[in-house]
Amino acid sequence: MSPLPALRRPTILVADDSPQNIELLSRVLGQDYRIKVATSGDKALKIVYSDEPPDLVLLDIMMPDLSGHEVCRRMKANPDRRRIPVIFVTAMSTIEDEALGLSLGAVDYITKPISPPLVQARVRTHLALYDQSRELERMVAQRTSELVATRQQIIRRLGRAAEYKDNETGNHVVRMSHIARLVAQQAGMGPEAVQLVFQAAAMHDVGKIGVPDHILLKPGPLTDEERQIMRRHPQIGADILGKHDNELLAAARTIALTHHERWDGTGYPQGLQGEQIPIFGRIVALADVFDALMTRRPYKPAFSAQQSLAIMADERGKHFDPTLLDCFFAQQFEILRIMNLYADERGTVSDAA
Protein backbone atom coordinates (compact mmCIF):
# COMPACT_ATOMS: atom_id res chain seq x y z
CA MET A 1 0.00 0.00 0.00
CA SER A 2 1.45 3.38 -1.02
CA PRO A 3 1.66 6.06 1.68
CA LEU A 4 -1.05 8.70 1.87
CA PRO A 5 -0.15 12.24 0.71
CA ALA A 6 1.20 14.23 3.67
CA LEU A 7 -1.59 16.83 3.69
CA ARG A 8 -4.27 14.14 3.90
CA ARG A 9 -2.66 12.06 6.61
CA PRO A 10 -4.67 11.68 9.80
CA THR A 11 -2.79 12.30 13.04
CA ILE A 12 -2.26 9.50 15.54
CA LEU A 13 -1.25 10.23 19.13
CA VAL A 14 0.84 7.45 20.65
CA ALA A 15 0.82 7.80 24.43
CA ASP A 16 3.17 5.38 26.17
CA ASP A 17 5.94 5.75 28.76
CA SER A 18 8.12 3.16 26.99
CA PRO A 19 10.40 4.57 24.26
CA GLN A 20 10.58 1.09 22.70
CA ASN A 21 6.81 0.87 22.37
CA ILE A 22 6.62 4.38 20.92
CA GLU A 23 9.33 3.57 18.40
CA LEU A 24 7.59 0.34 17.38
CA LEU A 25 4.14 1.92 16.92
CA SER A 26 5.65 4.89 15.10
CA ARG A 27 7.44 2.56 12.71
CA VAL A 28 4.28 0.48 12.14
CA LEU A 29 2.04 3.50 11.46
CA GLY A 30 4.40 6.27 10.36
CA GLN A 31 4.17 5.50 6.65
CA ASP A 32 0.46 6.33 6.48
CA TYR A 33 -0.12 8.71 9.39
CA ARG A 34 1.34 11.71 11.14
CA ILE A 35 2.55 10.58 14.55
CA LYS A 36 2.57 12.60 17.75
CA VAL A 37 3.97 11.09 20.93
CA ALA A 38 3.45 11.57 24.65
CA THR A 39 5.34 9.79 27.43
CA SER A 40 2.87 10.67 30.18
CA GLY A 41 -0.86 11.07 30.65
CA ASP A 42 -0.51 14.78 31.30
CA LYS A 43 1.37 15.34 28.05
CA ALA A 44 -1.20 13.26 26.19
CA LEU A 45 -4.04 15.47 27.42
CA LYS A 46 -2.16 18.63 26.46
CA ILE A 47 -1.88 17.33 22.90
CA VAL A 48 -5.55 16.24 22.88
CA TYR A 49 -6.66 19.69 24.09
CA SER A 50 -4.39 21.61 21.70
CA ASP A 51 -5.63 23.54 18.68
CA GLU A 52 -4.68 20.57 16.47
CA PRO A 53 -6.03 17.51 18.28
CA PRO A 54 -5.25 14.02 16.98
CA ASP A 55 -7.70 11.99 14.94
CA LEU A 56 -7.10 8.89 17.07
CA VAL A 57 -5.26 8.04 20.31
CA LEU A 58 -3.30 4.86 21.03
CA LEU A 59 -3.16 4.85 24.80
CA ASP A 60 -1.14 2.81 27.28
CA ILE A 61 -2.74 2.24 30.68
CA MET A 62 0.25 2.17 33.02
CA MET A 63 1.83 5.64 32.73
CA PRO A 64 3.31 8.13 35.20
CA ASP A 65 1.14 10.91 36.71
CA LEU A 66 -2.17 10.05 34.99
CA SER A 67 -3.11 6.50 34.04
CA GLY A 68 -4.49 5.74 30.61
CA HIS A 69 -7.85 5.10 32.24
CA GLU A 70 -7.88 8.62 33.70
CA VAL A 71 -6.77 10.16 30.41
CA CYS A 72 -9.64 8.40 28.62
CA ARG A 73 -12.11 9.39 31.33
CA ARG A 74 -11.16 13.07 31.04
CA MET A 75 -11.31 13.01 27.25
CA LYS A 76 -14.79 11.50 27.26
CA ALA A 77 -15.94 14.11 29.78
CA ASN A 78 -14.92 16.92 27.43
CA PRO A 79 -17.66 17.68 24.85
CA ASP A 80 -15.10 19.03 22.36
CA ARG A 81 -12.85 15.95 22.50
CA ARG A 82 -15.06 13.04 23.52
CA ARG A 83 -15.58 11.87 19.93
CA ILE A 84 -11.87 11.24 19.31
CA PRO A 85 -11.49 7.44 19.19
CA VAL A 86 -9.26 5.89 21.86
CA ILE A 87 -7.63 2.46 21.49
CA PHE A 88 -5.96 1.05 24.57
CA VAL A 89 -2.64 -0.66 23.79
CA THR A 90 -1.51 -2.41 26.94
CA ALA A 91 -0.02 -5.48 28.57
CA MET A 92 -3.06 -5.68 30.88
CA SER A 93 -4.83 -8.50 29.13
CA THR A 94 -7.53 -9.90 31.40
CA ILE A 95 -11.19 -9.81 30.42
CA GLU A 96 -11.83 -7.45 33.35
CA ASP A 97 -9.14 -5.06 32.12
CA GLU A 98 -10.63 -5.01 28.63
CA ALA A 99 -14.17 -4.52 29.96
CA LEU A 100 -13.04 -1.56 32.08
CA GLY A 101 -11.26 0.09 29.16
CA LEU A 102 -14.29 -0.23 26.89
CA SER A 103 -16.64 0.98 29.63
CA LEU A 104 -14.62 4.21 29.84
CA GLY A 105 -15.38 4.94 26.18
CA ALA A 106 -12.50 3.33 24.32
CA VAL A 107 -13.41 1.94 20.91
CA ASP A 108 -10.95 -0.95 20.99
CA TYR A 109 -8.41 -2.81 23.14
CA ILE A 110 -5.13 -4.24 21.83
CA THR A 111 -2.81 -6.28 24.03
CA LYS A 112 0.97 -6.29 23.95
CA PRO A 113 3.08 -7.58 22.38
CA ILE A 114 1.34 -6.06 19.38
CA SER A 115 0.75 -7.57 15.98
CA PRO A 116 1.63 -4.86 13.40
CA PRO A 117 -0.99 -5.98 10.83
CA LEU A 118 -3.64 -6.03 13.58
CA VAL A 119 -2.73 -2.51 14.75
CA GLN A 120 -2.80 -1.20 11.18
CA ALA A 121 -6.19 -2.79 10.52
CA ARG A 122 -7.77 -1.58 13.75
CA VAL A 123 -6.46 1.98 13.28
CA ARG A 124 -7.66 2.09 9.69
CA THR A 125 -11.13 0.80 10.68
CA HIS A 126 -11.66 3.24 13.53
CA LEU A 127 -10.41 6.21 11.56
CA ALA A 128 -12.87 5.34 8.80
CA LEU A 129 -15.69 5.11 11.35
CA TYR A 130 -14.62 8.43 12.88
CA ASP A 131 -14.63 10.08 9.45
CA GLN A 132 -18.10 8.72 8.80
CA SER A 133 -19.28 9.98 12.19
CA ARG A 134 -17.91 13.46 11.55
CA GLU A 135 -19.46 13.58 8.10
CA LEU A 136 -22.81 12.49 9.53
CA GLU A 137 -22.58 15.19 12.22
CA ARG A 138 -21.73 17.76 9.56
CA MET A 139 -24.73 16.69 7.47
CA VAL A 140 -27.04 16.79 10.49
CA ALA A 141 -25.75 20.24 11.46
CA GLN A 142 -26.22 21.46 7.89
CA ARG A 143 -29.72 20.03 7.73
CA THR A 144 -30.60 21.54 11.09
CA SER A 145 -29.31 24.90 9.89
CA GLU A 146 -31.40 24.57 6.73
CA LEU A 147 -34.51 23.75 8.76
CA VAL A 148 -33.94 26.75 11.02
CA ALA A 149 -33.42 28.99 7.99
CA THR A 150 -36.57 27.61 6.37
CA ARG A 151 -38.58 28.20 9.53
CA GLN A 152 -37.30 31.75 9.73
CA GLN A 153 -38.22 32.35 6.10
CA ILE A 154 -41.75 31.08 6.80
CA ILE A 155 -41.98 33.51 9.71
CA ARG A 156 -40.87 36.38 7.49
CA ARG A 157 -43.16 35.43 4.64
CA LEU A 158 -46.18 35.21 6.92
CA GLY A 159 -45.25 38.61 8.29
CA ARG A 160 -45.07 39.85 4.70
CA ALA A 161 -48.50 38.34 4.01
CA ALA A 162 -49.98 40.46 6.78
CA GLU A 163 -48.09 43.45 5.42
CA TYR A 164 -49.72 43.01 2.00
CA LYS A 165 -53.08 43.45 3.69
CA ASP A 166 -51.94 46.91 4.78
CA ASN A 167 -49.58 48.03 2.04
CA GLU A 168 -48.98 51.46 3.54
CA THR A 169 -46.73 49.89 6.19
CA GLY A 170 -43.89 49.11 3.77
CA ASN A 171 -40.89 47.89 5.76
CA HIS A 172 -42.73 48.11 9.07
CA VAL A 173 -41.97 44.52 10.09
CA VAL A 174 -38.28 45.01 9.34
CA ARG A 175 -37.93 48.22 11.33
CA MET A 176 -39.90 47.08 14.35
CA SER A 177 -38.05 43.73 14.44
CA HIS A 178 -34.73 45.57 14.64
CA ILE A 179 -36.11 47.96 17.27
CA ALA A 180 -37.32 45.01 19.34
CA ARG A 181 -33.86 43.46 19.05
CA LEU A 182 -32.19 46.64 20.31
CA VAL A 183 -34.57 46.94 23.29
CA ALA A 184 -34.05 43.27 24.20
CA GLN A 185 -30.28 43.72 24.09
CA GLN A 186 -30.48 46.84 26.25
CA ALA A 187 -32.68 44.95 28.73
CA GLY A 188 -29.84 42.46 29.23
CA MET A 189 -31.37 39.48 27.48
CA GLY A 190 -28.97 36.79 26.28
CA PRO A 191 -28.12 36.33 22.60
CA GLU A 192 -30.58 33.46 22.09
CA ALA A 193 -33.49 35.43 23.53
CA VAL A 194 -32.51 38.52 21.53
CA GLN A 195 -32.42 36.50 18.31
CA LEU A 196 -35.74 34.90 19.20
CA VAL A 197 -37.58 38.19 19.67
CA PHE A 198 -35.92 39.58 16.52
CA GLN A 199 -37.15 36.67 14.40
CA ALA A 200 -40.58 36.28 15.99
CA ALA A 201 -41.49 39.99 16.03
CA ALA A 202 -42.17 39.88 12.29
CA MET A 203 -45.27 37.79 13.02
CA HIS A 204 -46.93 40.27 15.37
CA ASP A 205 -49.68 41.34 12.97
CA VAL A 206 -50.29 38.11 11.06
CA GLY A 207 -53.86 38.17 12.43
CA LYS A 208 -54.64 41.15 10.20
CA ILE A 209 -55.08 38.56 7.45
CA GLY A 210 -58.48 37.96 9.06
CA VAL A 211 -59.54 41.64 9.15
CA PRO A 212 -61.67 42.86 6.20
CA ASP A 213 -59.89 45.33 3.92
CA HIS A 214 -62.59 47.99 4.27
CA ILE A 215 -61.75 48.18 7.99
CA LEU A 216 -57.99 47.71 7.76
CA LEU A 217 -57.58 50.37 5.06
CA LYS A 218 -60.27 52.79 6.22
CA PRO A 219 -58.88 56.35 5.96
CA GLY A 220 -60.89 57.74 8.89
CA PRO A 221 -61.88 56.77 12.44
CA LEU A 222 -63.38 53.31 12.97
CA THR A 223 -66.88 52.82 14.31
CA ASP A 224 -67.27 50.92 17.58
CA GLU A 225 -68.25 47.80 15.66
CA GLU A 226 -65.29 48.12 13.30
CA ARG A 227 -62.96 48.68 16.23
CA GLN A 228 -64.15 45.48 17.86
CA ILE A 229 -63.48 43.58 14.65
CA MET A 230 -60.00 45.12 14.39
CA ARG A 231 -59.28 44.12 17.97
CA ARG A 232 -59.77 40.48 17.08
CA HIS A 233 -56.54 40.35 15.10
CA PRO A 234 -54.26 39.36 18.03
CA GLN A 235 -56.39 36.30 18.76
CA ILE A 236 -56.68 35.53 15.04
CA GLY A 237 -52.89 35.69 14.79
CA ALA A 238 -52.49 33.34 17.76
CA ASP A 239 -55.00 30.94 16.19
CA ILE A 240 -53.17 31.02 12.84
CA LEU A 241 -49.85 30.25 14.48
CA GLY A 242 -51.27 27.64 16.85
CA LYS A 243 -49.61 26.13 19.90
CA HIS A 244 -46.17 24.60 19.36
CA ASP A 245 -43.28 23.13 21.30
CA ASN A 246 -40.97 24.89 18.84
CA GLU A 247 -39.44 27.87 20.61
CA LEU A 248 -39.60 30.26 17.66
CA LEU A 249 -43.21 29.56 16.77
CA ALA A 250 -44.23 29.67 20.43
CA ALA A 251 -42.58 33.10 20.77
CA ALA A 252 -44.31 34.30 17.59
CA ARG A 253 -47.69 33.21 18.97
CA THR A 254 -47.06 34.98 22.28
CA ILE A 255 -46.11 38.18 20.49
CA ALA A 256 -49.09 38.05 18.12
CA LEU A 257 -51.45 37.56 21.05
CA THR A 258 -50.02 40.12 23.52
CA HIS A 259 -48.49 43.02 21.59
CA HIS A 260 -51.62 45.17 22.09
CA GLU A 261 -51.80 44.61 25.84
CA ARG A 262 -50.97 47.70 27.91
CA TRP A 263 -48.97 48.05 31.11
CA ASP A 264 -51.94 49.65 32.91
CA GLY A 265 -54.30 46.81 31.97
CA THR A 266 -56.40 48.71 29.43
CA GLY A 267 -55.12 46.83 26.38
CA TYR A 268 -56.58 43.91 24.47
CA PRO A 269 -57.53 41.12 23.90
CA GLN A 270 -57.06 39.85 27.50
CA GLY A 271 -56.65 43.05 29.51
CA LEU A 272 -53.37 41.83 31.02
CA GLN A 273 -51.56 44.20 33.37
CA GLY A 274 -47.91 44.85 34.23
CA GLU A 275 -45.72 41.77 34.26
CA GLN A 276 -48.72 39.57 33.47
CA ILE A 277 -47.87 40.60 29.90
CA PRO A 278 -45.05 38.39 28.57
CA ILE A 279 -41.85 40.39 28.15
CA PHE A 280 -41.70 39.69 24.40
CA GLY A 281 -45.15 41.25 24.06
CA ARG A 282 -44.07 44.29 26.06
CA ILE A 283 -40.96 44.76 23.94
CA VAL A 284 -42.79 44.42 20.64
CA ALA A 285 -45.47 46.88 21.82
CA LEU A 286 -42.76 49.55 22.11
CA ALA A 287 -41.35 48.80 18.68
CA ASP A 288 -44.73 48.53 16.99
CA VAL A 289 -46.14 51.78 18.39
CA PHE A 290 -43.02 53.83 17.69
CA ASP A 291 -42.85 52.70 14.08
CA ALA A 292 -46.59 53.38 13.66
CA LEU A 293 -46.09 56.91 15.00
CA MET A 294 -43.19 57.60 12.64
CA THR A 295 -44.86 56.33 9.46
CA ARG A 296 -47.91 57.33 7.46
CA ARG A 297 -50.96 55.12 7.84
CA PRO A 298 -54.38 55.26 6.14
CA TYR A 299 -55.78 56.92 9.28
CA LYS A 300 -52.89 59.31 10.17
CA PRO A 301 -49.90 61.23 8.84
CA ALA A 302 -46.32 60.44 9.84
CA PHE A 303 -45.18 62.23 13.01
CA SER A 304 -41.71 63.65 13.45
CA ALA A 305 -39.11 61.92 15.57
CA GLN A 306 -39.50 64.58 18.26
CA GLN A 307 -43.28 64.20 18.35
CA SER A 308 -43.05 60.41 18.36
CA LEU A 309 -40.51 60.28 21.18
CA ALA A 310 -42.62 62.70 23.25
CA ILE A 311 -45.72 60.51 22.80
CA MET A 312 -43.71 57.45 23.83
CA ALA A 313 -42.50 59.23 26.97
CA ASP A 314 -46.06 60.24 27.87
CA GLU A 315 -47.11 56.57 27.83
CA ARG A 316 -44.69 55.57 30.61
CA GLY A 317 -46.55 53.34 33.04
CA LYS A 318 -49.69 53.54 30.91
CA HIS A 319 -49.07 51.80 27.60
CA PHE A 320 -45.47 50.83 28.26
CA ASP A 321 -43.39 49.01 30.84
CA PRO A 322 -41.33 51.86 32.42
CA THR A 323 -38.15 49.78 32.63
CA LEU A 324 -38.34 48.68 29.01
CA LEU A 325 -39.19 52.24 27.96
CA ASP A 326 -35.90 53.32 29.56
CA CYS A 327 -34.17 50.66 27.46
CA PHE A 328 -35.90 52.05 24.38
CA PHE A 329 -34.72 55.60 25.08
CA ALA A 330 -31.18 54.36 25.83
CA GLN A 331 -31.13 53.08 22.22
CA GLN A 332 -33.04 55.97 20.61
CA PHE A 333 -30.21 57.14 18.33
CA GLU A 334 -29.64 53.65 16.97
CA ILE A 335 -33.41 53.22 16.63
CA LEU A 336 -33.65 56.41 14.58
CA ARG A 337 -30.80 55.13 12.41
CA ILE A 338 -32.81 51.94 11.81
CA MET A 339 -35.85 54.02 10.87
CA ASN A 340 -33.80 55.89 8.27
CA LEU A 341 -31.93 52.82 7.00
CA TYR A 342 -35.13 50.88 6.32
CA ALA A 343 -37.36 53.77 5.29
CA ASP A 344 -40.19 52.61 3.02
CA GLU A 345 -38.65 54.01 -0.11
CA ARG A 346 -35.51 51.91 0.46
CA GLY A 347 -34.94 48.17 0.46
CA THR A 348 -37.36 45.31 0.90
CA VAL A 349 -38.24 42.86 3.62
CA SER A 350 -36.01 40.22 2.10
CA ASP A 351 -33.11 42.66 1.94
CA ALA A 352 -33.39 43.57 5.59
CA ALA A 353 -34.59 40.46 7.36
Side-chain angles (χ1 to χ4, degrees), residues 211-317:
V211 178
D213 288 352
H214 74 273
I215 296 175
L216 193 63
L217 302 177
K218 186 175 180 179
L222 300 179
T223 66
D224 289 343
E225 182 181 358
E226 290 169 338
R227 188 174 296 106
Q228 290 304 312
I229 294 172
M230 176 67 86
R231 287 189 170 194
R232 293 175 190 168
H233 82 268
Q235 186 63 59
I236 293 171
D239 293 342
I240 289 172
L241 290 166
K243 294 183 179 181
H244 297 274
D245 292 332
N246 177 267
E247 198 172 33
L248 179 58
L249 292 175
R253 183 183 187 277
T254 294
I255 288 170
L257 183 61
T258 64
H259 72 284
H260 280 295
E261 301 290 352
R262 295 170 58 102
W263 184 255
D264 62 7
T266 62
Y268 62 91
Q270 296 172 291
L272 301 178
Q273 183 175 7
E275 293 189 0
Q276 292 178 338
I277 308 166
I279 190 168
F280 281 4
R282 285 178 269 151
I283 289 173
V284 169
L286 284 161
D288 188 33
V289 170
F290 183 70
D291 189 79
L293 292 170
M294 290 277 292
T295 54
R296 182 170 64 89
R297 295 294 177 88
Y299 53 86
K300 62 169 281 295
F303 297 149
S304 69
Q306 184 177 3
Q307 289 174 307
S308 299
L309 291 170
I311 293 171
M312 297 289 289
D314 286 342
E315 290 296 321
R316 172 182 297 274

Side-chain angles (χ1 to χ4, degrees), residues 175-183 287 290 328 335 338-339:
R175 294 187 298 266
M176 57 83 58
S177 295
H178 280 284
I179 294 170
R181 173 180 58 81
L182 290 170
V183 173
F290 183 70
F328 171 89
I335 287 171
I338 291 294
M339 296 297 297

